[in-house]
Amino acid sequence: MLNKTSFAVTRRMALLGATALLTLPRTALAQTGPVEGGRLVLIARPEPATLGLGLNLQAPTIYVGGKIFESLLTYTTDLEPMPSLAKSWSISDDGLTYRFELQQNATWHDGTPFTSADVVFTADDMMRSSHPRWKLLAETYVERIEADGDFAVTFTLREPFSAFIYAFELSSLPIMARHVYEGTDYRTNPANNAPIGTGPFKFVSWNRGQSIELERYEDYWDDSAAHLERVTFLVIPDAASRETAFEQQMVDVLRPGDVEGFVARRLSETDDVVMTTMGEEFYAPHAFIQMNLRKPPFDNLKIRQAVMHAVDRDFISNNIWFGMAAPATGPVSSRTAFYEPDVTPYPFDIEKAQSLVAESGLSGDDLKVTLTPLPYGQQWDRTAEYIAQQLTQAGLDVSIKGVDVSGWAQALSTWEFDLALNYTYQYAHPALGVARHYLSSNIIQGTPAANNEGYSNPEADRLFAEAANSVDPEETQRLYSEVQKLLVDDVALGWIFEMRSPTIYRDTVNEVVTSAIGAMDTMKATWKAA
């Protein structure tokens, strides 16, 4: 079902051969088992606006909050569910009932027992009002959420939803303390800046602009975990300073995006440094060119086909992203479930692109467009410059319109763009991370993560709906294969590459990536050699 990638470990490990590469990165130089104690230093980039997980879905909040909070499940790199606050679970044969048995010895960091009441409050109240992804899912599919005693919860669905088992990852449904939030304004609750979770590390202090300090929660429910004594997040806004901090061993771990790809490649060639691209299987970030289909020239299929032929996705993957990307063929990542490889190909062919532009019948101002880059660093800037150059060569008149993060989000959210770069998380299943970009019901303003391009096709809507409701894996695959072929024929988006984002760490650090959400997870198994 999946293709896993893990590469470029230490020179020492490289000598061990390809088979070992798939198994050793998680344990680096582990020889004697977990060492208790020590401080792990990470980077918060940019500094999170809040630590209220579920109230803010930005990566820095998840990265820091993910050490403090937990959800019911986490997932293996093969996307199989693993226990977290739920120790076991079952799904009825009709796909309508999901029952979770909870850990019975978990407590909140203030000592209050964790119970099923916290789960029901989180899922049926707090996240329904604060978490847009959970709100949509719950209101569409969930009939009721019920506690059965203190340590069991049952979710009953209105209709089968095959992706539901993937809705219990840390960022999708972080379990929050009922006794802390109930009856308060969730968004202004003081606990958002001094969080109380059930996770392996509890909040100590936040020195704005400098650092966030966590320490081991001594009463953590899993007494075989939480090895580190302290976890420190340094706020380092400048990319060069982050690189220097790691080289000077002030920082132990760089998460994806902390440094540019060429820096990551160089660091990976340093002795005693480990690099792995495992740990992003759940999110499987997928980059694309978003074309505004509401107006010329991108309401013309031949222009959209020209875009696909004009862009050399191999060149971008190998030369701009330094091999830390793979060409995308369609809307679903090859690393997640229900990928369909047999779709219409669009090989790089600039002359074909020029012919398609000529066949479109458009000329002059109709071919004048602006490209809004994703303001996330030099590699995105270079990707935008390359795409603008290629599309100009194909016959479009392209200018780049640089904006900051809020300007980029504003442009997509209000549909005030021609071309824009973007990427999406796939959340392990097309119903969660893919369909939202193509459903006509999701052509909504106010978020850059909806169907911002304005694609509308009743047949695609039907196929996505039937696939989401199917409980037969073969039928689900057939439906998702069909819709992928349709979307690729329509060129609903210009898919560019699958990101292969590296996590980099010193080989004295062990068990950094232990799940499909990588360094975003709790790090409860992480330890440092003395």
Side-chain angles (χ1 to χ4, degrees), residues 161-178:
F161 181 53
S162 59
F164 196 62
I165 193 61
Y166 295 113
F168 301 97
E169 160 265 349
L170 189 61
S171 75
S172 300
L173 187 67
I175 304 302
M176 310 298 280
R178 176 185 176 186

Side-chain angles (χ1 to χ4, degrees), residues 382-426:
R382 295 191 195 104
T383 303
E385 291 164 3
Y386 168 78
I387 290 172
Q389 172 188 307
Q390 291 303 109
L391 297 188
T392 298
Q393 191 174 344
L396 299 176
D397 183 355
V398 184
S399 58
I400 293 177
K401 181 181 180 181
V403 292
D404 59 14
V405 174
S406 60
W408 171 87
Q410 175 78 6
L412 266 70
S413 299
T414 57
W415 309 338
E416 296 293 331
F417 70 98
D418 297 324
L419 284 169
L421 296 188
N422 198 350
Y423 73 89
T424 187
Y425 284 161
Q426 305 232 333

Side-chain angles (χ1 to χ4, degrees), residues 111-129:
T112 303
F114 159 76
T115 71
S116 54
D118 295 304
V119 178
V120 174
F121 165 73
T122 299
D124 215 16
D125 188 333
M126 186 170 175
M127 292 302 142
R128 273 187 189 266
S129 65

Side-chain angles (χ1 to χ4, degrees), residues 221-519:
W221 57 267
D222 184 352
D223 57 12
S224 66
H227 305 296
L228 297 161
E229 181 66 29
R230 307 277 292 194
V231 176
T232 301
F233 292 87
L234 298 179
V235 178
I236 307 178
D238 177 67
S241 298
R242 294 194 291 269
E243 174 187 346
T244 300
F246 183 79
E247 289 183 309
Q248 294 183 351
Q249 303 194 28
M250 296 167 57
V251 167
D252 297 304
V253 178
L254 297 173
R255 76 174 174 91
D258 278 351
V259 295
E260 299 284 355
F262 64 91
V263 175
R265 179 66 71 189
R266 182 177 61 75
L267 292 176
S268 74
E269 296 170 353
T270 305
D271 284 341
D272 305 327
V273 171
V274 179
M275 183 171 81
T276 179
T277 55
M278 295 185 73
E280 60 173 11
E281 294 81 3
F282 191 88
Y283 300 128
H286 208 69
F288 50 79
I289 306 169
Q290 204 144 21
M291 296 172 268
N292 195 332
L293 309 184
R294 300 173 181 83
K295 58 185 180 179
F298 300 112
D299 59 349
N300 188 310
L301 176 59
K302 288 187 181 295
I303 294 293
R304 303 200 297 274
Q305 292 171 331
V307 170
M308 292 298 288
H309 283 295
V311 175
D312 187 343
R313 296 182 290 282
D314 285 307
F315 178 84
I316 293 176
S317 299
N318 295 326
N319 296 289
I320 299 179
W321 288 79
F322 300 94
M324 295 179 190
T329 59
V332 176
S333 170
S334 65
R335 293 181 295 171
T336 196
F338 307 119
Y339 167 68
E340 173 53 65
D342 185 20
V343 296
T344 300
Y346 293 93
F348 173 57
D349 186 339
I350 197 67
E351 292 182 355
K352 177 72 172 175
Q354 292 167 341
S355 296
L356 287 164
V357 171
E359 292 170 17
S360 74
L362 300 176
S363 61
D365 286 347
D366 281 343
L367 296 176
K368 187 176 292 186
V369 298
T370 59
L371 169 61
T372 304
L374 190 61
Y376 279 10
Q378 293 180 35
Q379 283 176 291
W380 287 104
D381 292 342
R382 295 191 195 104
T383 303
E385 291 164 3
Y386 168 78
I387 290 172
Q389 172 188 307
Q390 291 303 109
L391 297 188
T392 298
Q393 191 174 344
L396 299 176
D397 183 355
V398 184
S399 58
I400 293 177
K401 181 181 180 181
V403 292
D404 59 14
V405 174
S406 60
W408 171 87
Q410 175 78 6
L412 266 70
S413 299
T414 57
W415 309 338
E416 296 293 331
F417 70 98
D418 297 324
L419 284 169
L421 296 188
N422 198 350
Y423 73 89
T424 187
Y425 284 161
Q426 305 232 333
Y427 296 107
H429 194 290
L432 296 176
V434 177
R436 58 187 170 146
H437 294 290
Y438 309 99
L439 292 174
S440 57
S441 60
N442 210 31
I443 301 176
I444 55 173
Q445 291 191 323
T447 171
N451 180 349
N452 305 90
E453 72 277 9
Y455 177 74
S456 180
N457 186 327
E459 181 64 3
D461 291 342
R462 181 187 70 80
L463 291 166
F464 272 126
E466 291 186 8
N469 291 152
S470 173
V471 294
D472 177 348
E474 291 187 5
E475 176 67 2
T476 306
Q477 179 67 69
R478 184 189 70 76
L479 292 163
Y480 278 129
S481 292
E482 194 172 338
V483 76
Q484 287 173 75
K485 292 177 181 179
L486 176 60
L487 294 172
V488 173
D489 287 346
D490 283 350
V491 195
L493 293 174
W495 304 280
I496 319 172
F497 56 89
E498 300 174 4
M499 298 163 71
R500 300 285 191 263
S501 306
T503 299
I504 301 167
Y505 50 98
R506 297 282 167 197
D507 69 355
T508 52
V509 185
N510 299 269
E511 305 291 355
V512 174
V513 175
T514 60
S515 75
I517 62 173

Side-chain angles (χ1 to χ4, degrees), residues 141-193:
Y141 292 102
V142 178
E143 177 69 29
R144 58 184 180 275
I145 304 169
E146 299 169 300
D148 181 5
D150 285 343
F151 300 108
V153 175
T154 299
F155 293 74
T156 302
L157 306 189
R158 296 189 180 93
E159 55 187 292
F161 181 53
S162 59
F164 196 62
I165 193 61
Y166 295 113
F168 301 97
E169 160 265 349
L170 189 61
S171 75
S172 300
L173 187 67
I175 304 302
M176 310 298 280
R178 176 185 176 186
H179 69 283
V180 172
Y181 280 97
E182 188 173 43
T184 72
D185 181 340
Y186 301 147
R187 296 207 170 270
T188 61
N189 190 305
N192 296 337
N193 294 324

